[in-house]
Amino acid sequence: MLAAATVHFPYMTAWPEQARPEHRDATHQGFDRIGNAFSDAGVETLIVLTSEHIVNLQPRMAPPFLIGTGAVHAAFPEPQFNLEPVTRPGDPELAYDLVEHLYDQGMDPAHSSELRLDHGTTLPLQQLRIAPHVRIVPIIVNTLFPPLPTLKRCRMLGRAIGDALRDMGMDKRAGILATGGISHAVGAPGMDLNHPQFDSEFVAALVAGDLDKACSYSDSELDALGNGTHEIRSWIAAAAAAHPAQPEVVTAIPYAPGWHTGVHQMLWRTP
């Protein structure tokens, strides 16, 4: 099984020129490395563990996990971020099998045949140059509307997804992509800052395979680091799906001036 994680902040496509050339180049090289890994592995379906930005989830309906089961997934238009509104093919058969497996494992994800993709998914897919024929199964993790699924529950989700793919014999044909994070704020004070010490600590926990440490933060601690920091839930789920494999660090930029955040990317390869 091949799994990866990457940031998805839209500054990189909206204002690429604002970053230092060495940071911009390192970020693009990281996307190329991960995208080539998925391509070289012959991944046919990509399960994208992602957050979103009030496109599908709303205060009136905010399940902890939402799986896209549609035959196609339309993109929410975001021209301000220089993103093409590409409609991606889905994989309904795998998606529904995944839902049923998760139900059997005591997980209760919601599902939608009309889920739309926003930059939390479209930006990484564009930057990774994921081929148009690759099917997408998006799984949105609620990082917006408390109460949020706990970090430990996200770990359980990831483990159940990994087990499901192996049980279905799909672990060589399906890849996993986590997007979001790490520490940052969205639409709130502190948008020009991140917390490199936390980012380094969290990445180190994943590299060591120490998921207990990665799941040890409270929501109040994450809030203090910026509301977008809750997106580490996707990274934890990907790490749990690939466990006990330990990831390679693809990109580690503590802070990229002009983009106002760090750039982190990881890649897991399982036997």
Side-chain angles (χ1 to χ4, degrees), residues 32-74:
D32 286 346
R33 181 175 165 189
I34 294 171
N36 290 337
F38 282 130
S39 178
D40 292 345
V43 167
E44 300 172 5
T45 297
L46 196 57
I47 296 171
V48 184
L49 292 156
T50 187
S51 56
E52 63 129 52
H53 309 84
I54 319 182
V55 172
N56 298 280
L57 303 189
Q58 303 285 338
R60 59 183 172 80
M61 185 188 67
F65 311 114
L66 175 62
I67 299 178
T69 57
V72 295
H73 302 297

Side-chain angles (χ1 to χ4, degrees), residues 96-137:
Y96 281 116
D97 285 348
L98 192 56
V99 170
E100 291 181 357
H101 186 96
L102 293 177
Y103 285 172
D104 287 342
Q105 296 301 308
M107 305 295 295
D108 298 301
H111 53 87
S112 171
S113 62
E114 298 183 1
L115 186 150
R116 292 188 296 172
L117 311 178
D118 76 358
H119 71 265
T121 304
T122 59
L123 187 150
L125 295 181
Q126 178 175 301
Q127 297 299 95
L128 292 168
R129 302 178 187 175
I130 298 300
H133 68 271
V134 174
R135 297 184 290 271
I136 305 299
V137 176

Side-chain angles (χ1 to χ4, degrees), residues 14 33-34 39 43-44 58-59 63 70 100 152 159 182 185 202 207 215 223 232 248:
R33 181 175 165 189
I34 294 171
S39 178
V43 167
E44 300 172 5
Q58 303 285 338
E100 291 181 357
K152 291 180 180 178
R159 183 170 62 242
I182 299 180
F202 178 72
V207 169
C215 292
D223 281 334
I232 65 170
E248 311 160 29

